[in-house]
Amino acid sequence: MATSSAFRFIAGTIYQELPAAVQDMAKRCLLDLVGTAIAGTQTPLSRTIRNHAIRAFGAGAGAPSARLMFDGRRASPVGAALAGGMTIDSFDAHDGHVLTKGHAGCAVLPALLAVAESIDVSGAEFLASLAVGYEIAIRAGISQHATAPDYHTSGSWNALGAAAIAARLWKLDENRFRHAIGIAEFHGPRSQMMRCIEFPTMLKDGSGWGAMGGISAAYLAEDGFTGAPAIVVEGDDVKSFWNDLGKEWRFLGMYFKPYPICRWAQPSVEAVLVLRRKHNILPQTIDHVEIDTFDAGVRLNQRRPETTEEAQYSLPFPVAAALVRGQLLPTDIAGASLVDTEILSMNDRIRPITVPEIDKLFPAERMARARIYLKDGTVFESELTTARGDAERPLSDAEIAAKYHSAADDIIGGEGAAFLRSTIETLDSARSVRGLLDLVLAPVDAQRNAVEG
């Protein structure tokens, strides 16, 4: 039974026995997620969901509690997991996995933080639990996409990774583990992802509910609540996705986003930036731009985004911003950039086109080709381009660090960001994870004040 092998995996994985590449990936993911969460705290979505967690999921007297990420206030562990997942998800710069068409980390890290508040674990155990949660979530996501007829949000499958982390740290037995992931699957938000893409709002990718559902499922299973077997783990048609668990690591296929937008738009941004830099193209010389890509990318069709959510789920707008600015930073999809007349004018001249030969490669490969037509009749065409950051075209450690600092420095201060980064990079040698928790779960102002003080 796949559940038995999954249980042995979650209960028996030891950090020191992990391949070096898995250890390194756990640290890369942790740093990237933390930077994304810091940036996310500045969004209206995050502020709203954190206040909601305090109001609706407050911990009663004597009940378990956990601090909210970069907030410091306490809620129940399920409330803290919800707020953390939505905060990371609010800033569309977090890691993902190609074959899941979604994101594991934005649920498994908040779930791990919520559980670790009440259990004093070592830094190595924290990283091992993070890797385990990712691996279970990713395989559940691959299984679901191979068998389910609809494209569901990530929360529908990353909830199993959150439940697995709690089961590991709470040392649930195999029977309770089986019920926990069954409950997590059943209650996971099987909401339609394309609705959120075509009508972008604060609903995002369901990962906050995945984190909350996973922790709640583990609590219920611990208390004897029963759940149906998780079909994405135990179904006869998904056995092949679990046979090599513990031997091969799907976790190593993670991608990291260089830009804070939907992954489906990133190849298009990359293609136009390559052309702009190679030919020194000035925005005022551009007549219009054609983007050949896959159908799901073309459906990112928010032409005049009024919110960051709409800009993150747009293809024309970030392409236009990149052409105008010569780069694409977090500030280019928010605030004043949303009403920048030069970007909006360029935005109206971006023409996405579905190309069947490119579309048939999706989701395993997400590619785009750009053609920039100048006003003098010159045409520049890019090669077929993939987004940087895929496993086959990874960002370097220096690029991951630079991305983290671009998100964190202005909010928690350069010295505070550097200290937090150092804490993450040396976490596997820490006897206790308390030092990290006190940084990641403190208000953002406390980070800057602690260093300045």
Side-chain angles (χ1 to χ4, degrees), residues 71-403:
D71 183 291
R73 292 177 294 171
R74 286 188 174 273
S76 67
V78 295
L82 167 67
M86 293 298 289
T87 291
I88 295 172
D89 214 8
S90 73
F91 190 71
D92 206 347
H94 46 303
D95 60 38
H97 193 279
V98 171
L99 296 182
T100 67
K101 295 192 290 186
H103 312 280
C106 52
V108 299
L109 176 60
L112 176 55
L113 291 169
V115 173
E117 271 270 74
S118 58
I119 302 174
D120 191 13
V121 300
S122 68
E125 170 58 25
F126 186 91
L127 290 169
S129 297
L130 184 68
V132 163
Y134 263 98
E135 189 69 15
I136 294 294
I138 289 167
R139 287 174 183 262
I142 294 172
S143 298
Q144 182 177 298
H145 283 299
T147 56
D150 202 358
Y151 174 21
H152 299 105
T153 55
S154 298
S156 61
W157 49 265
N158 61 28
L160 278 75
I165 285 173
R168 172 185 170 91
L169 293 182
W170 292 342
K171 301 187 184 305
L172 301 189
D173 60 26
E174 182 176 340
N175 182 56
R176 282 180 167 76
F177 166 71
R178 187 185 187 207
H179 285 298
I181 59 173
I183 298 165
E185 181 192 64
F186 192 86
H187 286 160
R190 287 211 170 195
S191 37
Q192 296 77 35
M193 186 62 201
M194 291 310 299
R195 284 185 63 197
C196 181
I197 289 170
E198 293 172 345
F199 303 97
T201 66
M202 293 183 182
L203 290 173
K204 302 293 288 199
D205 197 25
S207 291
W209 261 255
M212 176 180 69
I215 295 297
S216 178
Y219 269 125
L220 288 167
E222 185 180 42
D223 288 341
F225 196 92
T226 58
I231 57 175
V232 296
V233 180
E234 298 192 25
D236 290 338
D237 51 355
V238 301
K239 288 181 179 178
S240 62
F241 302 120
W242 296 93
N243 287 341
D244 59 355
L245 180 64
K247 301 173 185 176
E248 299 293 330
W249 284 83
R250 298 281 190 170
F251 181 39
L252 295 179
M254 298 300 298
Y255 67 72
F256 295 87
K257 294 181 179 180
Y259 312 114
I261 56 173
C262 178
R263 189 64 172 171
W264 299 350
Q266 304 230 357
S268 303
V269 170
E270 190 72 19
V272 297
L273 282 176
V274 167
L275 286 180
R276 189 187 192 281
R277 293 163 182 165
K278 180 179 180 179
H279 300 289
N280 195 28
I281 299 172
L282 299 177
Q284 59 268 29
T285 67
I286 296 174
D287 181 76
H288 69 279
V289 178
E290 292 179 346
I291 301 290
D292 295 339
T293 191
F294 47 95
D295 184 63
V298 172
R299 291 171 71 177
L300 299 172
N301 197 32
Q302 301 301 314
R303 280 290 173 175
R304 291 281 177 136
E306 297 180 358
T307 66
T308 296
E309 286 78 29
E310 291 180 352
Q312 289 172 341
Y313 283 130
S314 170
L315 187 151
F317 187 84
V319 166
L323 284 170
V324 170
R325 301 283 171 79
Q327 59 186 3
L328 191 65
L329 299 177
T331 52
D332 296 324
I333 56 158
S337 295
L338 299 180
V339 294
D340 184 287
T341 55
E342 191 174 7
I343 294 176
L344 291 175
S345 174
M346 184 70 71
N347 174 79
D348 294 339
R349 290 175 276 146
I350 309 298
R351 302 173 185 173
I353 302 168
T354 298
V355 176
E357 291 76 14
I358 299 175
D359 190 52
K360 69 182 181 181
L361 301 174
F362 178 79
E365 296 184 57
R366 288 156 293 181
M367 309 183 82
R369 181 191 298 111
R371 283 182 299 279
I372 299 179
Y373 294 79
L374 302 188
K375 294 176 180 177
D376 66 4
T378 303
V379 181
F380 294 111
E381 181 171 286
S382 76
E383 296 180 355
L384 200 55
T385 304
T386 60
R388 288 185 303 117
D390 283 343
E392 298 78 19
R393 197 183 175 196
L395 299 183
S396 67
D397 288 343
E399 287 176 306
I400 293 286
K403 176 189 170 186

